[in-house]
Amino acid sequence: MSLKVRLNKSPKPPQTCLLTECMSVISGAWAPNVIWSLRSGPRRFNELRIDIPPISAKVLSARLTELTERGVIVRNVLPTSPPSVEYQLTELGQELIPALDAIVHVGYKLKDKGYIE
Amino acid sequence: MSLKVRLNKSPKPPQTCLLTECMSVISGAWAPNVIWSLRSGPRRFNELRIDIPPISAKVLSARLTELTERGVIVRNVLPTSPPSVEYQLTELGQELIPALDAIVHVGYKLKDKGYIE
DNA sequence: CGGCATCCCTGTGGATACTG
DNA sequence: CAGTATCCACAGGGATGCCG
């Protein structure tokens, strides 16, 4: 009997270059939208859920945690009676805005020429 | 007996906003790397495989097809004896470079501060 | 309100082999 | 050389439910 160990996953992660690493920050599902929503100021958890229509709480939570760990946003617990939490971009996070802007800029052109949507 | 149709997938795609749409262009695995590799000129299929270390032929092929359909790169078959194919960025594709640049720029800062890698 | 835990399904990508 | 075909593993997300 052959053991036939199928080792599909590459042992080493796919070449952790800077581009790939940083892309991972903004390419989790909805991550760009979260950043985008925060561009104009702090937002609360449920505000974000409404801003970004069909995002599930789980994923929003995951992204917020992740982005927080990456130093892109900060979590701010407000001492109100129904406890509320604010998120906002850090200085570092704000630097992502131009990047997203550039992407959206290209997005317009892609749309114009009918390549997307 | 309940049929219990588990309809996990959202009927409508996740809010096709421009940002999301355009992100999808560059967020397939390796897509940014492909674009990055092409930034300094046309490359051949196998050159790209070497440039982008552990990319599988399948995925490279998939990304190239996809990017071609999206109008970001063009395919160029050269009439050499061992047939070779060149890929290069379109004008539109070149506009993605600044976006990636911006991302890499932030990447450096993230790295500096130890948030990634 | 904010946000885990669970459960399950799909898409995406890797390995390998094969074709023109 | 430049791919395509098949097969499969797995991470990432959606739904739902529960908790402080």
Side-chain angles (χ1 to χ4, degrees):
Chain A
M1 62 178 93
S2 84
L3 287 186
K4 192 176 185 183
V5 178
R6 292 189 110 288
L7 188 54
N8 264 355
K9 291 288 92 176
S10 53
K12 55 177 177 181
Q15 184 219 25
T16 42
C17 75
L18 197 55
L19 179 57
T20 306
E21 279 297 309
C22 186
M23 279 301 296
S24 78
V25 172
I26 59 173
S27 54
W30 305 113
N33 303 76
V34 170
I35 297 171
W36 196 256
S37 282
L38 290 174
R39 69 183 313 209
S40 39
R43 304 288 278 164
R44 306 235 316 274
F45 189 87
N46 271 355
E47 287 178 324
L48 288 171
R49 289 193 66 179
I50 293 167
D51 284 348
I52 310 171
I55 191 175
S56 63
K58 174 190 156 189
V59 173
L60 177 52
S61 178
R63 285 296 86 76
L64 289 171
T65 305
E66 198 178 293
L67 291 173
T68 302
E69 283 168 359
R70 308 286 214 161
V72 170
I73 62 178
V74 284
R75 205 182 109 110
N76 223 337
V77 182
L78 305 178
T80 52
S81 65
S84 54
V85 184
E86 264 186 5
Y87 293 90
Q88 61 183 308
L89 293 176
T90 62
E91 212 169 298
L92 206 52
Q94 312 229 11
E95 305 203 38
L96 283 169
I97 297 294
L100 293 182
D101 268 331
I103 291 170
V104 170
H105 179 69
V106 178
Y108 275 117
K109 301 223 178 182
L110 285 168
K111 189 173 188 170
D112 270 358
K113 309 207 175 180
Y115 288 120
I116 60 177
E117 188 210 4
Chain B
M1 59 179 89
S2 82
L3 287 187
K4 190 176 186 183
V5 178
R6 290 191 111 289
L7 188 56
N8 263 355
K9 291 288 91 178
S10 53
K12 55 176 178 183
Q15 185 217 24
T16 41
C17 75
L18 199 54
L19 179 56
T20 306
E21 279 297 309
C22 186
M23 280 301 295
S24 79
V25 173
I26 58 173
S27 54
W30 306 114
N33 304 76
V34 170
I35 297 170
W36 197 255
S37 282
L38 290 175
R39 67 182 315 206
S40 39
R43 302 291 276 165
R44 306 236 315 274
F45 188 87
N46 271 355
E47 287 179 324
L48 288 171
R49 290 192 66 179
I50 293 168
D51 285 348
I52 310 170
I55 191 176
S56 63
K58 174 188 156 188
V59 173
L60 178 53
S61 177
R63 285 296 85 74
L64 289 172
T65 304
E66 197 177 293
L67 292 172
T68 302
E69 282 167 0
R70 308 284 215 164
V72 170
I73 63 178
V74 284
R75 204 183 111 109
N76 223 336
V77 182
L78 305 179
T80 52
S81 66
S84 55
V85 183
E86 266 187 5
Y87 293 90
Q88 60 183 310
L89 293 177
T90 62
E91 213 169 296
L92 206 52
Q94 311 229 11
E95 304 202 38
L96 284 169
I97 297 294
L100 293 181
D101 267 333
I103 292 170
V104 169
H105 179 69
V106 178
Y108 275 117
K109 300 222 177 181
L110 286 167
K111 189 173 188 169
D112 270 359
K113 308 206 175 179
Y115 288 120
I116 61 178
E117 188 209 5

